[in-house]
Amino acid sequence: MAQRLDFKVLMGKESKKGGGTPVVVKMENPNYSVVEIDGPDAALRPVDKSRGKNAKQVRWVLLLKAHRAVGCVAWLAGLFWALLGTIKKRLFFREGVTVATEKLGKGKLVLRVIRVFLVTSLVILGFEVAAYLKGWHYFEASAAAEYLHRIPMAAPNLLHMFYVAWLNFRADYIAPTILGLSNFCVALFLVQSVDRLVLCLGCLWIKFKKIKPEIRGGDPFKSPDIEALDYKWPMVLVQIPMCNEREVYDQSISAVCQLDWPKDRILIQVLDDSDEEDIQWLIRGEVDKWRQKGVNIIYRHRLLRTGYKAGNLNSAMGCDYVKDYEFVAIFDADFQPNPDYLKLTVPHFKDNPELGLVQARWSFVNKDENLLTRLQNINLCFHFEVEQQVNSVFMNFFGFNGTAGVWRIKALEESGGWLERTTVEDMDIAVRAHLNGWKFIFLNDVKVLCELPESYEAYRKQQHRWHSGPMQLFRLCLPAILTSKIALWKKANLIFLFFLLRKLILPFYSFTLFCIILPLTMFVPEAELPLWVICYVPIVMSFMNIVPAPKSFPFIVPYLLFENTMSVTKFNAMVSGLFQLGSSYEWVVTKKAGRSSESDLLAAAERESKTSTIQPQLHRGSSESEIGQLSLLKEKAEAVPKPKKKVNKLYRKELALAFLLLTASVRSLLSAQGVHFYFLLFQGVTFLLVGLDLIGEQMR
């Protein structure tokens, strides 16, 4: 019989120093292992989980782990196979694909440079793989330097001689050049990171202190009896510039016509630059419908679309009746302001004669439509929540966003009005107004619904215009900034922070450092980038960017990779605007899909049900010629065949950079650089997906 264990003995109350009597339990069943208790407190010690398992249990554990590994590998293989299938269709069969060609020489030059880097990297990779197979494993800088000091006098073969010559040339000539350029880009990167950190701290201070723009004399619309305050309703002009906006023209006109403002104190101008006759008649019909409902609205169309949006606004401001109005509110065709928009913005001008602009924040109706819109939402939330708000509170200046803002007409006139010299007329008028002493206010709590571009093609063209225009403007307004009478710190803010740091340096170092220098350092380990440059600091900066949009935290990795991918477009646009190339003057209207929120759809259905009974009265007021034109237009629309669906495109620069980064990731395997390999691999895959137009709306 087995010896009985006393509870007191197990607790160690009656034990001597040095332990108790060992107890051995032997079982006849061989499937159980022998357990030895070596002391009275052995039962309370941590148990080694690896002990006591029989062969059958170990076999099942190994089979389970193998099953999980096979499942993971199968999933990765399936994903890789699907990606290869898409590449095969788009590169070889060209099914539903068009190649995005560069119209101008500068874009082709950038593509040629990337191709040269790609071919050179492939040649070097092949040469070093051959050296690796020969057993010359000197792919790190320290190992290569040590190897060069003990090279034998007589080289064994020709390949070995070339290999030694490459190591010498790499260390003496290529590495210092790359190291100098990388240090310069890292310095710019750190300066920009400090600026981003200061902006975030300023935003936290605003939140902590609950700083908000206040209306001098109090908000008249919060009074229970506004008539008792004898508030004089200002005359407000509302402008809706548009061009071939088939999908969204009715939404913007409907929203603006429902603004809560006295009908005799507001005038709505629909400024149509459309060159398609059917769209012109549709917009004209929408304007007539609201005019017959009692809305003070007019339709203006230009025969010649000179100066794009700036020319359109400048032409409208030249009308004789504009002198009767004090303020002008501007909304692009896809913007849908709430009825109380004017009541929330216009009172800020009261008793504040130095105020020239009140800007509202954008809110996006389709921010969750696809991955592309989610990533755009992160960028724009940071722009409004942090950049615009901090600059408004501490600088009294920020760049006008071109829409969802109210201008004092006197400020526009004294600043020279709308000029057609750049494609960023909004930023142009904001800089000139700031130089003339006008102040700006940003209202983060006032939001206007709008739409984000859902296809990569539309987003790419929009970003090209947004990054080429500021550099074009910087060249033109730099003399005016230097000779202006504003304070010196305001000049420094405009030149170094607003233009150079945030418009020029950011796309320059982002493209040069992460898309060119980093893959080159894989082939030149003497100039290797430190881990904190490619990992820690970018992740911290990405966290700061996502803070204003906390629901987007799961997309931090795609956001970081996509921003580096977009640096190609931004860098090309920046160079185009800085050197006045032809593409900097190109204006392409951002394509919209006409998205509406659920509340907008319910409200529209309710309005349609209410107005269905009075619809005959609306058409009865139209002239016979207009009715004839509308009927003729409907007949033409039925006879004309439907336009072909748009197809996806292949973007050559992104594809070339994808293969360059993937080649560099293969090279990093030879030197066993873990973080560098994963970054290059995932960044290369991101470039590949973007180059194949697999992000955003799929056209066909």
Side-chain angles (χ1 to χ4, degrees), residues 414-433:
E414 291 185 357
S415 303
W418 301 102
L419 299 182
E420 306 170 9
R421 55 182 182 173
T422 67
T423 57
V424 284
E425 75 294 327
D426 45 6
M427 186 181 295
D428 189 0
I429 187 63
V431 171
R432 286 185 280 116

Side-chain angles (χ1 to χ4, degrees), residues 52 108 203 233 303 325 334 348 384 439 503 524 543 695:
K108 291 184 178 180
C203 182
W233 298 78
L303 296 178
Y325 293 84
D334 59 317
H348 284 274
F384 287 108
K439 296 182 179 180
K503 308 300 180 183
V524 187
F543 268 109
I695 185 172

